[in-house]
Amino acid sequence: MPVAGTPRTTAPPGRRLLTVGPRAEYGAYIVLSAADLDGPLPQPGQFYMLAAGERWGGGEDERPYLPRAFSVLRVGEHGLEFMLERVGPGTTRLAELAPGDGLWVTGPLGQGFTAPEDERRAVLCGGGVGTAPLALLQDGLRVAERPAPVLLGFRDHAHALGAALIPGSRVATDDGSVGHHGLVTELLADELDDNDHAVVYACGPPAMLEAVRALCAAREVPCQLALEAGMACGFGACFGCVVPAADGSYLRVCVDGPVIGGERLDTCLVAGHAA
Amino acid sequence: MPVAGTPRTTAPPGRRLLTVGPRAEYGAYIVLSAADLDGPLPQPGQFYMLAAGERWGGGEDERPYLPRAFSVLRVGEHGLEFMLERVGPGTTRLAELAPGDGLWVTGPLGQGFTAPEDERRAVLCGGGVGTAPLALLQDGLRVAERPAPVLLGFRDHAHALGAALIPGSRVATDDGSVGHHGLVTELLADELDDNDHAVVYACGPPAMLEAVRALCAAREVPCQLALEAGMACGFGACFGCVVPAADGSYLRVCVDGPVIGGERLDTCLVAGHAA
Amino acid sequence: MSVTFCGLELVHPIVNGSGTFDAIAARQAFGPGFDDVFPFSAYVSKTITAAPRAGNPPPRLFEVPAGLINSIGLPNKGLDGWLASDLPQLATLPVPLITNVMANSAQEILPLVDALDDRPEVAAIELNVSCPNVRTGLDIGSDAGELGRFVSAVRPRTTKPLIVKLTPNAADVPGIARAAEAAGADAVSLLNTLRAFAPAPGGAGAAWLGGETGGMSGPALRAVALAQVRAVAACVAIPIVGMGGVASGRDARAFLDAGATLVAVGTESFRDALAGARIRDELAELSANTGLVFS
Amino acid sequence: MSVTFCGLELVHPIVNGSGTFDAIAARQAFGPGFDDVFPFSAYVSKTITAAPRAGNPPPRLFEVPAGLINSIGLPNKGLDGWLASDLPQLATLPVPLITNVMANSAQEILPLVDALDDRPEVAAIELNVSCPNVRTGLDIGSDAGELGRFVSAVRPRTTKPLIVKLTPNAADVPGIARAAEAAGADAVSLLNTLRAFAPAPGGAGAAWLGGETGGMSGPALRAVALAQVRAVAACVAIPIVGMGGVASGRDARAFLDAGATLVAVGTESFRDALAGARIRDELAELSANTGLVFS
Ligand SMILES: Cc1cc2nc3c(=O)[nH]c(=O)nc-3n(C[C@H](O)[C@H](O)[C@H](O)COP(=O)(O)OP(=O)(O)OC[C@H]3O[C@@H](n4cnc5c(N)ncnc54)[C@H](O)[C@@H]3O)c2cc1C
Ligand SMILES: Cc1cc2nc3c(=O)[nH]c(=O)nc-3n(C[C@H](O)[C@H](O)[C@H](O)COP(=O)(O)OP(=O)(O)OC[C@H]3O[C@@H](n4cnc5c(N)ncnc54)[C@H](O)[C@@H]3O)c2cc1C
Ligand SMILES: Cc1cc2nc3c(=O)[nH]c(=O)nc-3n(C[C@H](O)[C@H](O)[C@H](O)COP(=O)(O)O)c2cc1C
Ligand SMILES: Cc1cc2nc3c(=O)[nH]c(=O)nc-3n(C[C@H](O)[C@H](O)[C@H](O)COP(=O)(O)O)c2cc1C
Ligand code: FES
Ligand code: FES
């Protein structure tokens, strides 16, 4: 996995039509695969803009229209894998794609995670679909012989089935149906209580990321946060995907992120970004 | 079949969601079926406004958006049958519907064909998808023990396979690949040469209908023409589907037609209506 | 869901947009029973002019992404024809009748207003001011001064509620709404269709529509309509009939939230004759869930 | 496909819309090789203002049927920052650079124009006049008189081609284009986004966008854009950059047929960074098939 300063993997220019391969369901989540024979290997934390090859549109309120951002979950035998949850017209359409259907992709995009800089151990913390980028990250850490605990938070049992995507992960659920009854950030606090010579890698909904950011700031533990934001383009063209930075400026999640060091952010809580 | 003056069959108000039944292909044409358990039996020449239950939109140029008009082909064991040809985003979407998919329908709509008024024999003349309303008409005439010759014109072999939808029909093709090499109106002229104590029932592209209209006018043979026009609503709401009437006014194809006596029309050739 | 609009008691806030629903033809297509499921709480007639109009030559329709361009050309029987043959039929609808009228000068509109003022069957009058001024070529409704004079001329001629249907093809729609209010309008309605062009497939700049240019409606312009309704609501105290691309109860709710008192459904009725009823029901459900009330 | 525009020789007629393509970020995302497949025949910068701007608070985007509402708020490094850090990078693009500038008074725009006039890397200047006049709240570009004075002030300050990007939120866009021409503009471009509102899901009238209102772009407004380009082309002799919802070669052809000399692609590039190149190729194919030539 890339050390800090390693250049990001750039995407082939423009969108490319791939063919959907096998898909799988993990409770509330769908894993979609697509062989990307001509594309480069993504770095952990990078993402792709996806759109169905056909009938991207005509759903709820005549949407979707723009492509949607998805973290790469893993690169497996069937190619790129994405983990998705149906939350609106775009994810609903992607979730109904069958093997053989076309899939437009642009990517890999953005700045991914970088390896811990010193002898700090990695601690991975995800919520919901925020599980996705942690899978590839964990694979990379394992290859680098830096195994790391993975803590995952989910709403309920149906969602917690997504934890199977990262074997060995510890789970918290809001309703207590699986694992720890409570927030994944409680697991994280315990983990850091044990040993806080760590780097935290986190991805999840804004409220969770904000809790992680604040917790790490309080303990002076560095964290790399994989953010979400509404995106139109994914490659810096629209200036739509911003989050407020600590220095008063705005950062574009798609080119300055999606992985951004917690210390660079003002807050992860942006009105309108899914809570 | 209804005699002149019989009230049209009215549609249940609003659109209704039916389930697509078996579909069949006849060369370039698709026959789509949908059981309409609550709907009335349509009269020959009436039509329905159709839209896919899901993903009506997101095709070529983000269309379709409005429903599309289709003559009822027949009422068979699987319910309403429609004959369609892929010519744009609406027909393309309808053609890909599979058994079990939803289909929005409004109908039956419009004024259909009426039985010959005196002892005149019926002659049926169709072009392309204009075959559709003649099937139900022929069924009605057969029940009324007034069997009628059916003359059908098609572009080429792939289209002429549609003639199988009306057994016993005589075929003309533009390229001579099946039946008479030439226009179906040539077959019609021959037929009227034999015996012009007839009523002509015709449906097809504007140029064909215009030729039928002129030919019948010249021979003083009454004709009932089932017209096409771009439609938004199908029930008289938009005033969009007009054709110029002989008296200088405009007729709405959806409520004044689609079947209109040739003598009431100025021309069937309307710019922009598929040639 | 009942609502008072310019003194009319309406059972819910969903009406039709002028020219997008022919209640007489609907009875023909769906039978007289259509009245029993009539989707609107008031019926707005299509635009009536002094003289009969045949309308524009076809084609009159062009489908665009999530919308429709029309160039219908306001076909109607003229005032006398409408009074004689349409009004008696519309008077038997189960809801109040709002009659929409248009003319290209104050002088020409007055006889229309006078005639309607006489008819008890007419509950309110809507002025369509998206009519080009013969001199400037711009819509009468696109200039605040001109519109003010127009409405001032009409106002004294009727005690019926007077709704001014604004044109969206203007720089300062709120300013124009204010002028309508100042001249005595009881309500404004907006928006009318946006000026649009549909190219003929062959290319070379030819128009697809028989009337050359047309007006765009449908979900494609909903966000533009919401912006205008919101801006107008901030400037006037009279009620607003909001419309433009309404296709769901959620859309209707957005117009009410933006400041409309009534919401009109146009193009969506073409997709489903009972769309208005569905939208009304969805709106009722939304409002029940959120505890929001109608003003 | 090559075309002469205000004296610039461009290899094809497809450019980008201002603010819809960041050529510097594209190199970051796609690598420096992106220059080899650069889709546009000229590059239009995003709008530059005198002082730096952070832009509007998020959310800045809202998807609508076949379109997008944005409320980006013109973030930019300000003139000095742009000259120092962006211009050197943009100067190495394989195509001419058109710089888009905005200010809310003639006084404020002049230093921008003067500075750009000095820079040989800048091939042409585009004036974004969709900027609210502080006094009236209306866009400077929505009034012919005001726009004429604005352009007249700028014109003598530069010999570079001057393109005026019109606002669509006006009653008489052709009249405004004429005023720009009379004041010495070398070209006009249109349309900019249509004012639009995105409601927050919670309801109660709250705005989704951090900047409250936004501007709508994409296929949803294409027909409106075509109508305005066509109307402007009938009134001015200077070339037109047509844009608004262009998503295919057929769309580009329609704008050229309506009277545009160049066609700009905006929102479609968000769906595909190389959309401009596809549109260029589709246009070439269409033109080859129909024998149409570029003017
Ligand atoms: C870098 C990145 C990586 C991501 N990775 C994943 C992943 O691996 N798996 C995954 O499932 N998701 C991922 N997401 C989130 C995913 O992109 C969104 O869930 C998706 O875009 C939702 O699209 P939709 O059409 O289904 O829902 P939408 O209707 O777009 O709703 C999604 C959210 O957008 C907002 N919204 C609602 N309406 C609109 C509108 N009209 N316009 C704009 N916003 C609106 C609301 O906040 C809503 O909750 C990622 C996002 C980013 C930025
Ligand atoms: C009463 C009636 C009965 C009919 N019966 C049948 C039938 O039984 N079987 C059958 O196959 N067809 C039938 N049709 C025709 C059918 O409705 C059309 O083929 C269908 O609407 C085409 O839709 P589309 O989206 O596939 O193609 P479109 O893209 O809508 O193209 C179809 C035609 O519409 C025009 N057009 C092109 N673009 C546009 C646009 N953007 N907006 C408006 N018009 C455009 C052109 O003339 C084009 O050739 C009938 C039509 C009517 C009115
Ligand atoms: C086919 C059609 C005909 C219309 N005719 C009229 C009319 O006669 N008078 C009028 O004031 N508005 C007319 N309108 C405008 C509508 O009343 C309404 O303002 C507009 O369509 C926006 O609403 P919608 O998007 O829900 O259709 C017409 C619109 C359409 C689509
Ligand atoms: C996200 C976004 C940002 C934009 N920024 C600018 C800008 O900075 N300056 C400007 O003149 N126009 C700007 N525009 C308008 C576009 O240049 C163009 O006029 C408009 O989007 C219509 O074209 P389209 O439909 O192809 O996007 C912007 C549009 C979008 C969607
Ligand atoms: S998504 Fe467009 S700039 Fe980030
Ligand atoms: S299709 Fe609307 S009136 Fe005929």
Side-chain angles (χ1 to χ4, degrees):
Chain A
M1 73 169 296
V3 297
T6 309
R8 66 182 64 185
T9 300
T10 59
R15 70 179 187 180
R16 298 170 288 131
L17 191 61
L18 306 186
T19 303
V20 171
R23 68 197 279 295
E25 308 217 357
Y26 290 77
Y29 302 103
I30 287 107
V31 173
L32 200 68
S33 69
D36 184 13
L37 304 174
D38 303 323
L41 273 185
Q43 295 167 344
Q46 287 195 301
F47 69 100
Y48 290 73
M49 297 299 285
L50 305 185
E54 301 274 334
R55 309 220 163 278
W56 190 243
E60 181 202 330
D61 197 20
E62 313 301 323
R63 299 192 299 133
Y65 163 64
L66 296 161
R68 299 296 196 258
F70 294 89
S71 303
V72 57
L73 169 73
R74 241 185 209 113
V75 186
E77 54 169 329
H78 302 295
L80 302 173
E81 288 175 13
F82 303 100
M83 171 189 185
L84 51 102
E85 181 178 7
R86 292 179 197 84
V87 298
T91 47
T92 299
R93 176 67 183 124
L94 290 170
E96 74 190 22
L97 291 180
D101 286 346
L103 180 71
W104 288 115
V105 310
T106 303
L109 294 165
Q111 174 61 52
F113 296 109
T114 55
E117 293 223 9
D118 48 25
E119 289 311 300
R120 287 170 188 271
R121 69 188 185 120
V123 177
L124 279 53
C125 179
V129 290
T131 299
L134 304 184
L136 190 60
L137 176 63
Q138 196 212 30
D139 293 351
L141 289 166
R142 203 184 298 112
V143 169
E145 291 182 359
R146 305 189 65 157
V150 181
L151 317 173
L152 299 175
F154 296 99
R155 203 172 318 159
D156 54 23
H157 179 78
H159 287 81
L161 292 172
L165 286 162
I166 307 193
S169 52
R170 274 162 60 206
V171 170
T173 50
D174 296 352
D175 66 359
S177 54
V178 184
H180 173 68
H181 187 174
L183 300 175
V184 67
T185 43
E186 294 160 10
L187 296 183
L188 178 63
D190 287 351
E191 189 69 41
L192 294 179
D193 285 344
D194 281 358
N195 170 358
D196 69 359
H197 192 58
V199 183
V200 174
Y201 295 87
C203 185
M208 180 204 120
L209 288 185
E210 180 55 18
V212 171
R213 194 192 62 77
L215 189 146
C216 290
R219 299 178 183 230
E220 294 181 6
V221 171
C223 62
Q224 298 188 17
L225 307 177
L227 300 176
E228 281 193 19
M231 290 187 175
C233 69
F235 56 91
C238 74
F239 281 77
C241 59
V242 296
V243 288
D247 66 4
S249 71
Y250 289 112
L251 297 170
R252 279 175 285 179
V253 170
C254 71
V255 284
D256 301 319
V259 177
I260 302 183
E263 72 290 352
R264 293 181 65 200
L265 292 169
D266 178 36
T267 173
C268 301
L269 289 175
V270 171
H273 292 176
Chain B
M1 74 169 296
V3 297
T6 309
R8 66 181 64 182
T9 300
T10 58
R15 71 180 187 179
R16 298 169 287 130
L17 191 61
L18 307 186
T19 303
V20 172
R23 66 197 281 295
E25 307 216 359
Y26 290 77
Y29 301 104
I30 287 105
V31 174
L32 199 68
S33 70
D36 184 15
L37 305 173
D38 303 323
L41 273 184
Q43 295 167 344
Q46 286 194 299
F47 70 99
Y48 290 72
M49 298 300 284
L50 305 185
E54 300 275 336
R55 310 219 161 277
W56 190 243
E60 180 200 331
D61 197 20
E62 314 301 322
R63 298 194 298 135
Y65 163 63
L66 297 160
R68 300 295 197 257
F70 293 88
S71 304
V72 58
L73 168 75
R74 240 184 209 114
V75 185
E77 54 170 326
H78 302 296
L80 302 173
E81 288 175 12
F82 303 100
M83 170 189 185
L84 51 104
E85 181 180 6
R86 292 179 198 85
V87 299
T91 47
T92 299
R93 176 68 185 123
L94 290 170
E96 74 189 24
L97 291 180
D101 287 345
L103 180 72
W104 287 114
V105 310
T106 303
L109 295 165
Q111 174 60 52
F113 297 110
T114 55
E117 292 223 11
D118 49 24
E119 289 310 298
R120 288 170 187 271
R121 70 187 184 118
V123 177
L124 279 51
C125 180
V129 289
T131 299
L134 303 184
L136 190 60
L137 176 63
Q138 196 212 31
D139 294 351
L141 289 166
R142 202 183 300 112
V143 168
E145 290 180 2
R146 305 190 65 158
V150 181
L151 317 173
L152 299 175
F154 296 98
R155 204 172 316 159
D156 55 23
H157 179 78
H159 287 81
L161 293 172
L165 286 163
I166 307 193
S169 53
R170 274 163 58 207
V171 171
T173 49
D174 296 352
D175 66 358
S177 54
V178 183
H180 172 68
H181 187 173
L183 302 174
V184 68
T185 44
E186 293 160 10
L187 297 183
L188 177 63
D190 287 353
E191 189 70 43
L192 295 180
D193 284 346
D194 282 358
N195 170 358
D196 70 1
H197 193 58
V199 184
V200 174
Y201 295 86
C203 185
M208 180 205 120
L209 287 186
E210 179 55 18
V212 171
R213 194 192 62 77
L215 189 148
C216 290
R219 298 177 184 231
E220 294 181 7
V221 171
C223 61
Q224 298 187 15
L225 307 178
L227 300 176
E228 282 192 18
M231 290 187 174
C233 68
F235 56 92
C238 73
F239 282 76
C241 60
V242 297
V243 289
D247 66 4
S249 72
Y250 289 112
L251 298 170
R252 277 176 287 180
V253 169
C254 70
V255 283
D256 300 320
V259 177
I260 302 183
E263 72 291 350
R264 294 181 63 200
L265 291 168
D266 178 37
T267 172
C268 301
L269 290 175
V270 171
H273 292 177
Chain C
M1 291 259 283
S2 70
V3 54
T4 307
F5 171 77
C6 298
L8 304 177
E9 297 293 335
L10 306 180
V11 290
H12 61 80
I14 307 296
V15 301
N16 66 299
S18 171
T20 65
F21 206 92
D22 183 333
I24 300 170
R27 283 173 176 159
Q28 218 184 332
F30 301 114
F34 192 78
D35 285 8
D36 302 333
V37 293
F38 200 74
F40 309 112
S41 65
Y43 176 72
V44 183
S45 81
K46 63 172 173 268
T47 295
I48 310 304
T49 52
R53 292 169 62 110
N56 290 333
R60 291 178 171 184
L61 302 172
F62 190 77
E63 188 184 62
V64 290
L68 170 68
I69 307 181
N70 83 78
S71 167
I72 306 297
L74 306 174
N76 76 94
K77 298 176 177 141
L79 176 65
D80 294 342
W82 187 80
L83 290 174
S85 76
D86 288 1
L87 179 57
Q89 295 181 71
L90 298 177
T92 65
L93 285 174
V95 298
L97 172 64
I98 300 174
T99 303
N100 179 298
V101 289
M102 190 188 82
N104 51 29
S105 68
Q107 201 181 334
E108 214 190 289
I109 198 89
L110 296 184
L112 284 155
V113 173
D114 290 347
L116 296 177
D117 186 57
D118 271 355
R119 307 301 294 244
E121 307 93 315
V122 174
I125 299 174
E126 183 173 58
L127 295 181
N128 177 353
V129 295
S130 295
C131 177
N133 174 311
V134 190
R135 189 173 40 80
T136 63
L138 302 181
D139 288 354
I140 292 180
S142 68
D143 182 81
E146 189 172 358
L147 178 71
R149 285 187 294 278
F150 191 83
V151 175
S152 297
V154 171
R155 177 68 282 180
R157 308 296 277 252
T158 181
T159 56
K160 293 193 197 285
L162 194 62
I163 308 161
V164 176
K165 184 159 181 183
L166 304 173
T167 166
N169 302 301
D172 182 18
V173 177
I176 292 166
R178 238 180 345 238
E181 180 179 41
D186 297 299
V188 289
S189 54
L190 72 157
L191 46 77
N192 210 320
T193 55
L194 286 178
R195 210 173 291 131
F197 179 75
W208 167 262
L209 297 167
E212 286 262 319
T213 55
M216 194 173 87
S217 63
L221 57 71
R222 187 193 312 134
V224 174
L226 277 171
Q228 293 198 0
V229 167
R230 200 160 174 268
V232 167
C235 287
V236 301
I238 52 177
I240 296 171
V241 187
M243 72 193 93
V246 173
S248 69
R250 202 175 54 172
D251 298 338
R253 186 70 254 171
F255 275 88
L256 295 174
D257 289 340
T261 298
L262 300 183
V263 175
V265 174
T267 307
E268 186 66 12
S269 292
F270 302 161
R271 311 213 307 171
D272 177 8
L274 289 183
R278 172 180 54 78
I279 291 166
R280 171 200 67 203
D281 295 344
E282 289 171 356
L283 178 63
E285 199 172 326
L286 265 180
S287 307
N289 291 344
T290 57
L292 290 170
V293 291
F294 295 88
S295 55
Chain D
M1 291 260 281
S2 70
V3 54
T4 306
F5 171 78
C6 298
L8 304 177
E9 298 293 336
L10 305 180
V11 290
H12 61 81
I14 307 298
V15 301
N16 66 298
S18 171
T20 65
F21 207 92
D22 182 333
I24 299 170
R27 283 174 176 159
Q28 218 184 332
F30 301 114
F34 193 77
D35 284 9
D36 302 334
V37 292
F38 199 75
F40 308 113
S41 66
Y43 175 72
V44 183
S45 80
K46 62 172 174 274
T47 294
I48 310 303
T49 52
R53 290 168 63 108
N56 289 335
R60 292 180 171 183
L61 302 172
F62 191 76
E63 189 184 61
V64 290
L68 171 67
I69 308 181
N70 83 79
S71 167
I72 306 296
L74 305 174
N76 76 93
K77 297 177 176 140
L79 176 65
D80 295 340
W82 187 80
L83 290 174
S85 77
D86 289 1
L87 179 58
Q89 297 180 71
L90 299 176
T92 64
L93 286 174
V95 298
L97 172 65
I98 299 174
T99 304
N100 179 299
V101 289
M102 190 187 83
N104 53 26
S105 69
Q107 199 181 335
E108 213 191 291
I109 197 89
L110 297 184
L112 284 156
V113 173
D114 290 347
L116 297 177
D117 186 57
D118 272 355
R119 307 302 293 245
E121 307 92 317
V122 174
I125 299 173
E126 184 173 59
L127 295 180
N128 177 353
V129 296
S130 296
C131 177
N133 174 312
V134 189
R135 193 174 36 82
T136 63
L138 303 180
D139 288 354
I140 292 181
S142 68
D143 181 79
E146 189 172 357
L147 178 71
R149 284 188 294 279
F150 191 83
V151 175
S152 297
V154 170
R155 177 68 281 180
R157 308 296 277 252
T158 182
T159 55
K160 294 193 196 285
L162 195 63
I163 308 161
V164 175
K165 183 158 183 183
L166 305 173
T167 167
N169 302 304
D172 182 18
V173 178
I176 291 166
R178 235 176 356 236
E181 181 178 39
D186 296 299
V188 290
S189 53
L190 70 160
L191 46 72
N192 211 321
T193 55
L194 286 178
R195 211 173 293 132
F197 180 75
W208 166 263
L209 296 167
E212 287 264 318
T213 56
M216 195 173 85
S217 63
L221 57 71
R222 188 192 311 133
V224 174
L226 277 171
Q228 293 200 0
V229 167
R230 199 159 174 269
V232 167
C235 288
V236 299
I238 52 177
I240 296 170
V241 186
M243 72 193 93
V246 172
S248 70
R250 201 175 57 172
D251 298 339
R253 185 73 254 169
F255 275 88
L256 294 173
D257 290 341
T261 299
L262 300 183
V263 175
V265 174
T267 307
E268 186 66 12
S269 293
F270 301 160
R271 310 211 310 169
D272 177 9
L274 290 183
R278 172 179 56 77
I279 291 167
R280 171 199 68 202
D281 295 345
E282 288 171 358
L283 178 64
E285 200 173 326
L286 266 179
S287 306
N289 292 345
T290 58
L292 289 169
V293 291
F294 294 88
S295 56

